[in-house]
Amino acid sequence: MSEQGSGWPFVGRGGPLTTVRAALRSGAGVMIAGEAGVGKSRLAAEALAGLPGYAVVRALGTETASMIPFGAFAHVLTGPPEGGENLLSWAARHLRERAPRGELLVSVDDAHRLDPASAALVHYLADSGAARVLVTVRSGEPQPAPVAALWKDELLDRIELPPLTRAEVGQVLAGALGGEVAAETVRHLARVSEGNVLYLREVVQAGRNAGCLTERDGQWRWRGQLSMTTRLRELVGDRIGHLDEDEREVLELVAFGEPLGTELLVSLTTARAVERVEDRGLVVAVNEGRREQLRLGHPLYGEVVRGGCGTLRTRRRLRMLADALEASGLRRREDELRAAVWRLDSGSVTAPEMLVSAARLAWGRQDPHLAERLAKAAIDAGGGVAAVAVLGEVLMVLGDADAALAALRRAARDAVTEADRAQHAFSLGINLAWAGADAEACEVLDLAAVTLTEPVWLQEAHIYRAVTDCFAGRLTGAAGSLARSRSYGPMSRRADAHAAAMEAWAAAYSGRTGESLAIAARTLESVDSWRDEAPHALPSFLDALCAAQTFAGLLEAADRSAEQGMELPAAELSVSGFAAYRAMVGRLRGDVAGALRWCRDDLARMPGREPYLGRVLAEQAHALALLGRTEQAREVLAEAGATASRWAFTRQHVLQAEVWVAASGGELDEAVRLCLAAADHAERHELHAGLMFALHDLVRLGAPDQSARLAGRVDGLLAVLLARHARAIGDPVELRAVAGEFERLGMLLYAAEATAQEAAAYRDAGRGTLAKGAQTRAWALARRCPGVSTPALVELATPELTPRQREILQLAAAGLTNRQIADRLTLSTRTAANHLQAAYEKLGVNDRTQVGRLLAAL
C-alpha cells in the first residue's frame, strides 16, 4: 500500500533519497526493495518530485492487472501494433512518444506483481536505454524473471530500504503529530511497528482515536494498551493471509508463548506446519544462547492472532504450553516463570510455591507489574509470608509504600520460620526506610541481625541496613554494614550483587569515583548470573555509574548509562529518576532546554510522590532557573522539596537547585548563603561529590574566597579542574586555560562562564583589547548554551555596572518594586532607586521592561 497522500512528513529517509536521485541523474536505473509498508512507494514518489525535466510514465503492478498482457501499462498503450511490429518495440515506441523532446523515466510500483509482458517491457526499456527505470519490489516475494534480471544483470542499482530506526521513528512522529514526542512513546511505537511506516501510521491513528496517544504539557505520550482498529486489524490480517488449521495452531501457540523453543512447538503441532508458517515469514527463528527460539514475524501479528481467540480457546492454548514446558523439565529459570504465568492465565495453578518463586523471578527481571500480579495470586493461593514479603518490595517501587507497609504489618504474626522472619524483616525494613521512617527501619533490621542465625540471612540483614544508611546519608555507617555482611563467609549471588551495588553507589556519592567505576565494571561483567536473583542491584549499579561518571566529568559515558537506565523494563518506576542524570549532563554541557525535556519525559511516567521523583523535579527547577523562568522554577522547587526531603542524597539536588533559583531572581547574596547551606549538608552527610559542586557554585557566583574546601574530596579530572578554576579567579591567563579544559570536557556553560571571568579580569587590569577578545570568545560559547543566564553571563552583558547595580537590576527585571528591592537587600528605598537609575543610564534603557528584554537576550 502506498503512502502517497497520507499527509505524513517524509523524514528519516534522506540518505536513500539522495542515493536514488543521484543514480537517476547519472543515467542509471534503480530498484527499491523492502518489506511491505516500509515506504518504498513514498521514496520513489519523493525521488521523482526532485527530478524536473523528465517525462514520467507511472505504472502499478496489481494482482488484477497481472492477468492481462501489458496490464500495468494499459492506461498509456493505445491502438494495435502495426503489421509485423515487435510487441516490445511497439510498446516502447508508445512510451517514447510521451517524451518527444526530453528523457523518458518509467516508474513502476510493486513490479513483483507485473504481468509477463509488462515485466518484459520494463526489462527491454532498461536494457536498451530507451528510458530510465525506477521500480519498487517487495522483498521476499517471487518476481517475474525479467524483473529479477534487472538487478541480477546489473541493469539497475538495487537499494534495500530497511524499516525506520528508532531515531527515524521519532522524527516521523514529531513531524506527523506536530510536536515533541516523549522518548518512551517513541520507543514503544518503534517497537510495536518495528519501523514499518504503514503500521506506524495506523497505530498512531488508532491510539489517537482511542485516547491512548494524547498531547499534554507540550508533549505527546502513549498511555494504555494498544488499540487495534478495524483497518489496522484488516491490514495485518491481509499480511498474515489464509491459514489452514495446522498453521493457525502454530501461529496461535507462538502468539501466546513467544519466544517458543522450536522443539517444544513441533511437539505440540507438526514440523511441516511450523516450516510452512516460517517460510511465509509469519514466524522467525532466532538463536538465544544455546536455544533456537521462534518469534512472530511482527509484533502486530500477535495482537491480531490473540484478538481472534475466544476465552476458552485462549485458556486451552495456554494450558498446552504450560503442560509441554513442564514436561520438558523446566530446565531454565525463565521456564519456571513462563509456566507459572501460563498456569495463572489459564486458571490451572495448583501450587502457591510456584507463584511465589515466579513472582521473585519477575521482580528479578525488572517486571514489577507482573511480580505484583503473581505475588497477589500467591497470597490468595496460601503463599504466606514469603508472598507478602515479595509483594511488599514490589509495591514499594510501584509507588504504593503505604499499602506495602499495611500488608507487611498484618503478616507479622505469621512469620514463624527463620526464612519467613528474615524475608518479612527485610521487606518491612526497606519499606520503612523508603517511607522516611529511618529509626524504625534501623530497629527492624538491627533486630533481624541479632536474632537470625543462618549466614545467608545475616548477610542480607546487613546489606538492607546499609541501604537505610545510604538513604539517610550515613555513608561510613553503610560501609561498615557492608563489611559486616561479607564477614559471614562466602556470599550468595544475590547478596554479593546487592552488596557490590551499594558499595559502588556509596563510593560514587562519597567522591571515590574511580573505586565506584571499578566495582561496577567488575560486577556488571557477570550480570547474567545474578540479575534474576538481585532485583535491586542492576538499577543501583546504573545509578552508581551515572553518579560516578558525572562526578568524574565523563559526561558522554554518564549520558549513555542514564539512557540505559531509562530503558530498563522497570524504568517508569519510582526507583528510577535516571532523567535527573541526563538533565545534569545537559546543563553541564549548556543544553539546558534539553535538560528540561529529559525531566519532563521522566516525570510523566513516574508514579506517586517518591524521593527519586523529587530528584528529577529538583533538576527541572534548576534548569528552569538557568533559563530565567524564575516563578515556574520556584513552583517546581517547592514540590521537589516536599518530595525529596526524606533522603539526604535527593535533598542535595534540591539544595543546589535552590541556589540557582535565588540567583535567577537576582538574589545573589541569598544564593551564596544557600550555596554554603548546600555545602554544609553535603559535608554533614558525606556527599563529597555534592560538596564539590556546591563549593564550585560559589566560584560561579563570584564568591571564590568561600570555596577553599574544594580540593581533595573527589577523584577524577573534574574535581581537579573545578579546584583549579577556584584558584584561577583574577588570573586571566589561567582562566583561559581552565575554560579550554571545560570545553574539552564538553562543559560549555562552565567554559563560557570562565571566559566571561577572563574578560572581567582583563578589564579590571585595564587591558581593554584583551578584554574585548575574551568577551568575544565568551559570547561565542554562550551562544552554544541558548537561553541560559547566570551571574557571570549577566556580567558579560553589563560590564559597566557595579556588582550592586547588577544585583538590583536583576531584581527589578524579576518584577520587584523599589521598596521590595530595598527590603530584600537591607537598603533604603532611595538608595535602591538611585542604583537602579544609574544602571539605566549606563545601559541606555528606561524601564524594567527594557531591562528584562536585555537580560532575556543572553
Side-chain angles (χ1 to χ4, degrees), residues 245-253 268-269 317 320:
E245 189 59 34
D246 289 344
E247 293 167 341
R248 180 182 179 185
E249 182 175 51
V250 169
L251 205 58
E252 286 176 356
L253 288 168
L268 292 170
T269 57
R317 293 295 187 219
M320 287 174 63

Side-chain angles (χ1 to χ4, degrees), residues 693-770:
F693 281 119
L695 293 175
H696 184 258
D697 281 349
L698 290 168
V699 179
R700 299 171 63 201
L701 291 168
D705 55 311
Q706 309 250 24
S707 61
R709 290 176 285 169
L710 254 173
R713 298 298 186 99
V714 179
D715 298 342
L717 293 175
L718 180 57
V720 173
L721 182 56
L722 297 183
R724 183 181 174 190
H725 186 194
R727 294 191 301 270
I729 296 301
D731 181 346
V733 175
E734 180 65 1
L735 282 168
R736 182 168 186 176
V738 166
E741 289 300 304
F742 278 136
E743 188 172 6
R744 187 181 64 80
L745 288 177
M747 300 174 67
L748 296 181
L749 176 56
Y750 284 32
E753 291 176 327
T755 308
Q757 291 168 338
E758 176 197 348
Y762 276 128
R763 221 172 21 250
D764 291 343
R767 305 176 72 177
T769 301
L770 292 174

Side-chain angles (χ1 to χ4, degrees), residues 177-183 185 208 211-223 596-597 599-607 620 632 639:
L177 296 171
E180 183 185 341
V181 184
T185 296
R208 295 188 69 176
C212 296
L213 183 61
T214 58
E215 185 179 23
R216 184 176 180 183
D217 297 329
Q219 199 172 50
W220 287 89
R221 296 186 176 280
W222 186 283
R223 284 287 180 270
L596 268 185
R597 286 194 299 272
C599 290
R600 188 164 62 237
D601 188 58
D602 226 23
L603 290 170
R605 58 186 181 153
M606 291 176 70
Q620 183 183 36
Q632 190 177 355
E639 186 179 356

